[in-house]
Structures are given as structure tokens and as C-alpha cells.
Amino acid sequence: MAEAGRGHTRWRLILPVLAVPVLVLGFLIVGLFAWALSDEETPRAGAVKKVPCAEALAFGGASAPAHAHVGNCTVQQGIDTAYAAVLRMPREDVRDWLRETYPNAPEARSDASCGALCLDVSHEDGLPAAAGAHVVQVRVEYENAETARVRFSAFTM
């Protein structure tokens, strides 16, 4: 019976010593999950965030066309920065807007692989020096006889 008492005494000393690291580790794990699931004002790297369309277009050296409905503009930042905008505008105005926006760029091409009309511009071939982007891609789809949907992407590499 005396031996059972001594073993019991050892556990009274060992359990508190073992419990402290387990509790600390548990609090750290709970804190990590709470931090990961919290709503932050600033998005994490790589998260897509809505931005004013003027900001998205300006990053690519452009401005909104006169008769365009501009909507759904976003930015995604990580190692690189990528802005995107979707515009709806009269079909007949698309080529003129592209020529005015990027006068030194190659002519927009008609290519079935990228939509009704495509334009890729970099600093080497006509992107304005003031643009923050390294590359701008414009993809145009004709929704009907009057309207074009323009997908505008401006990004760094």
C-alpha cells in the first residue's frame, strides 16, 4: 500500500508540468484559427478586392469610354498586381476607344481564339509610360448587334 501512495505523489508533480505546455499549445492553436477566420479590413495577399473602375482602368493607362457602362472592377495583389474591369459599350465605339487609348499600339485583331476582338499591349509596343501595368489585355465579345462586352486586364509581371 505504501508504494501506491508514492506513485500517486509523483503524478501530482508531473501532471501540472505536462499540463502547462499542452494548455499553451492549445491556446496557440485556437488563436491561430481565430486569426485566420477573422474579418480584416485589408485583404490578405492574393485576395480579390473591388475597386473603383477609374482606378482599374488608369492602372492600364486608360479611362472609361464616353458611352460605356463600367462595372465589376477588381484588383488582386500579391507578388504582382492585377486589375480587371468589365465594360459594356456600343460595338461601333470599341475600335475608336482602343485607338485613342493606345495610339502607339498595334491594331486590335479579330481572332476567334480570344473573342471578337483582341488587343495585347506592353511598354515595348505602345503602353503609355504613365501606366502602372506592364501589360494590358483587352478581350471584346459582341453581345448583340449594338453592344460589346469588353474585358480589360492590366497587370504587372
Side-chain angles (χ1 to χ4, degrees), residues 23-39:
L23 288 173
V24 170
L25 184 61
F27 282 122
L28 287 174
I29 291 172
V30 168
L32 180 65
F33 278 107
W35 173 76
L37 298 175
S38 68
D39 270 346

Side-chain angles (χ1 to χ4, degrees), residues 14-99:
I14 293 173
L15 283 178
V17 172
L18 292 177
V20 170
V22 170
L23 288 173
V24 170
L25 184 61
F27 282 122
L28 287 174
I29 291 172
V30 168
L32 180 65
F33 278 107
W35 173 76
L37 298 175
S38 68
D39 270 346
E40 301 168 352
E41 292 234 354
T42 57
R44 291 178 203 91
V48 177
K49 176 182 154 190
K50 289 190 176 192
V51 295
C53 291
E55 178 183 330
L57 293 168
F59 188 72
S63 59
H67 298 99
H69 170 70
V70 184
N72 194 22
C73 298
T74 59
V75 64
Q76 184 174 15
Q77 293 180 304
I79 295 173
D80 298 316
T81 300
Y83 281 87
V86 177
L87 304 90
R88 284 193 167 67
M89 60 188 294
R91 249 174 97 157
E92 62 192 25
D93 295 348
V94 174
R95 284 188 186 269
D96 290 338
W97 175 66
L98 291 173
R99 283 186 198 114

